Amino acid sequence: MKTTSSNWNFRALKSKTVALFKQGLTPIQLTQCILVSALISIIPILGVSTFLLTVLSIKRKLNLPIMIAISYIMWPIQLLMIIPFINIGEFIFSIPQSNHSAQEIIASFQESFFGTLSRLSFELLCGFGGWLLTAVPFFTLVYFVSITIFKLISNDKNKE
């Protein structure tokens, strides 16, 4: 009997979780939630993505639980991309390359968020520029391709 009860509890939990994440979203809105949160989550400035995602979800009426979940999933990618974004920004702005490691930047943020922003502000600005010039166009392209695919699928279903 306990198997049935625990099985029912699992199904109920699963359905409530799925309902929370869907919240009546269309596939296009769901795609927006996922892509916007993935894009914002890899900004090379640690600690700002949750705030930005919350503001965006309220302003654009997007699904905050999905966005926060994607943000947590993207955390390793954000850490991996800090230095490449800084290097891209330094290259684009023709600035000599700094020799900071990702571990050094992370430790600095953990020690003092605002101290790191002031000490590494130039490098982080270069990283933000690298993010703007690479990640934003990439995610924009992925968004438009996704929308086109959804429209094609939708048109095929309407024809049937």
Side-chain angles (χ1 to χ4, degrees), residues 34-50 52-53 67 70-86 124 127-132 134-139:
I34 292 168
L35 290 177
V36 165
S37 59
L39 175 65
I40 298 299
S41 296
I42 61 170
I43 288 177
I45 302 171
L46 300 176
V48 300
S49 60
T50 303
L52 291 174
L53 290 174
M67 296 175 84
I70 297 295
S71 175
Y72 283 118
I73 291 168
M74 296 298 288
W75 169 254
I77 295 171
Q78 180 187 26
L79 295 179
L80 288 173
M81 293 305 294
I82 289 173
I83 299 300
F85 283 143
I86 289 173
L124 294 173
F128 186 75
W131 172 82
L132 269 176
T134 57
V136 172
F138 173 76
F139 277 93

Side-chain angles (χ1 to χ4, degrees), residues 21-42:
F21 280 109
K22 282 187 176 178
Q23 289 184 348
L25 296 177
T26 66
I28 292 175
Q29 290 171 320
L30 191 57
T31 301
Q32 283 179 337
C33 286
I34 292 168
L35 290 177
V36 165
S37 59
L39 175 65
I40 298 299
S41 296
I42 61 170

Side-chain angles (χ1 to χ4, degrees), residues 5-134:
S5 176
S6 65
N7 194 17
W8 179 85
N9 288 337
F10 177 73
R11 277 193 234 140
L13 178 63
K14 181 181 174 188
S15 68
K16 287 179 182 181
T17 304
V18 168
L20 175 69
F21 280 109
K22 282 187 176 178
Q23 289 184 348
L25 296 177
T26 66
I28 292 175
Q29 290 171 320
L30 191 57
T31 301
Q32 283 179 337
C33 286
I34 292 168
L35 290 177
V36 165
S37 59
L39 175 65
I40 298 299
S41 296
I42 61 170
I43 288 177
I45 302 171
L46 300 176
V48 300
S49 60
T50 303
F51 173 75
L52 291 174
L53 290 174
T54 304
V55 170
L56 279 171
S57 73
I58 292 169
K59 206 155 181 65
R60 305 256 323 159
K61 296 182 177 142
L62 297 173
N63 188 314
L64 184 59
I66 288 176
M67 296 175 84
I68 297 298
I70 297 295
S71 175
Y72 283 118
I73 291 168
M74 296 298 288
W75 169 254
I77 295 171
Q78 180 187 26
L79 295 179
L80 288 173
M81 293 305 294
I82 289 173
I83 299 300
F85 283 143
I86 289 173
N87 291 340
I88 290 167
E90 289 171 340
F91 174 77
I92 289 169
F93 300 122
S94 298
I95 297 166
Q97 195 169 15
S98 62
N99 293 321
H100 298 290
S101 70
Q103 293 83 7
E104 178 185 342
I105 294 170
I106 293 165
S108 183
F109 267 114
Q110 289 173 340
E111 182 182 310
S112 170
F113 179 80
F114 293 107
T116 301
L117 287 179
S118 76
R119 250 188 339 274
L120 300 175
S121 60
F122 190 69
E123 286 86 354
L124 294 173
L125 182 62
C126 287
F128 186 75
W131 172 82
L132 269 176
L133 295 172
T134 57

